[in-house]
Amino acid sequence: MTPPTSRTWSRRGRTPVIRVRGRSRGRVSVAALCCYRPGERSRLIYRYILHEPCRGMTKSGRRSFAWTDYRDLISAAHQQLGAPLVLVWDNLNTHRAAGLRDFVAEHDWITIFQLPSYAPDFNPVEGIWSSLRRSHQVNTAFIDPKHLQGALRQGLRQIQYRSDLIDGCLAATGLTLATSRPEGQ
C-alpha cells in the first residue's frame, strides 16, 4: 500500500519525496460493521487479522478474511448489541460463501440485504475506510505490518468514540434508517 500524502514541506526548489519499499512483508486485513439503531448512539465493531510476514497467510492458507472470520464478527456483534442484526453487504465473494449462507439460514436474528454490484457509494463502511486513511495513515510509510496494525487500532478506536462520524458515513450514502410508525399516524 502506498502511503496517502497530505501536506508536507521541503526546502525551496526541492520536490518532497517519500521513499517506500516495493515489496510487502506481511498483510493486515480489517473488517468492520457500522451499527445503527434509531434513538441510540451509532457504533463501530471491527476485527483485524495480522498475517505472518514469513508465510503471508493465515492457518487456513488465505491472505484475507474467511467466511468463518465474518461469522465470528457477526456473532460478536450480536452478543455486543444484544439485538437482531440487519446486514447490508457488498458483493464480496466471501460474503456470499456457502458456509456463511448456511450460518445465516440457521439463525433467525440475522437478515441480509445485498448491495448492487459496484456500488461502494451505498456502503457506510467505505466512509470509515476513507476517514481512517485520510487521518491515521497520511504521510506515514509503515516499516512493517505491526506498525500498520498499531496505526489501524489507534484510528479505529478513535472512530468508535465518534458516533457523529459514523452517522455521517450513513448520511453520505443517501440511505436512511427506516422505522416502523405506530398506526394512526
Side-chain angles (χ1 to χ4, degrees), residues 78-147:
H78 178 63
Q79 290 295 320
Q80 259 185 305
L81 300 171
L85 301 179
V86 177
L87 300 173
V88 180
W89 270 352
D90 55 14
N91 284 305
L92 182 69
N93 61 354
T94 311
H95 292 169
R96 294 177 284 131
L100 198 54
R101 281 194 313 251
D102 294 342
F103 174 75
V104 169
E106 292 172 5
H107 297 88
D108 60 349
W109 47 266
I110 305 172
T111 305
I112 293 183
F113 292 100
Q114 291 290 142
L115 287 172
S117 296
Y118 306 108
D121 296 343
F122 293 138
N123 190 348
V125 176
E126 296 295 336
I128 298 294
W129 301 144
S130 176
S131 175
L132 184 65
R133 189 167 169 85
R134 286 182 286 118
S135 61
H136 291 84
Q137 294 179 344
V138 72
N139 288 348
T140 305
F142 297 103
I143 55 175
D144 61 7
K146 291 215 183 258
H147 185 207

Side-chain angles (χ1 to χ4, degrees), residues 13-162:
R14 299 201 183 216
T15 302
V17 175
I18 300 174
R19 298 192 190 280
V20 294
R21 291 185 183 165
R23 69 172 222 256
S24 174
R25 295 186 326 196
R27 187 177 182 136
V28 178
S29 297
V30 185
L33 298 173
C34 291
C35 305
Y36 304 97
R37 183 184 282 173
E40 292 190 16
R41 182 177 74 81
S42 300
R43 302 191 44 190
L44 177 71
I45 299 174
Y46 67 92
R47 297 289 183 268
Y48 57 85
I49 297 174
L50 177 62
H51 303 284
E52 296 177 21
C54 60
R55 289 189 316 229
M57 296 187 216
T58 61
K59 293 176 186 174
S60 66
R62 293 184 59 95
R63 290 179 50 98
S64 62
F65 272 75
W67 74 267
T68 54
D69 299 318
Y70 285 105
R71 177 199 62 200
D72 297 342
L73 175 62
I74 293 168
S75 297
H78 178 63
Q79 290 295 320
Q80 259 185 305
L81 300 171
L85 301 179
V86 177
L87 300 173
V88 180
W89 270 352
D90 55 14
N91 284 305
L92 182 69
N93 61 354
T94 311
H95 292 169
R96 294 177 284 131
L100 198 54
R101 281 194 313 251
D102 294 342
F103 174 75
V104 169
E106 292 172 5
H107 297 88
D108 60 349
W109 47 266
I110 305 172
T111 305
I112 293 183
F113 292 100
Q114 291 290 142
L115 287 172
S117 296
Y118 306 108
D121 296 343
F122 293 138
N123 190 348
V125 176
E126 296 295 336
I128 298 294
W129 301 144
S130 176
S131 175
L132 184 65
R133 189 167 169 85
R134 286 182 286 118
S135 61
H136 291 84
Q137 294 179 344
V138 72
N139 288 348
T140 305
F142 297 103
I143 55 175
D144 61 7
K146 291 215 183 258
H147 185 207
L148 174 59
Q149 177 187 12
L152 288 172
R153 183 181 352 197
Q154 179 184 9
L156 288 168
R157 280 187 182 168
Q158 288 180 5
I159 291 172
Q160 279 183 316
Y161 293 108
R162 296 198 48 209

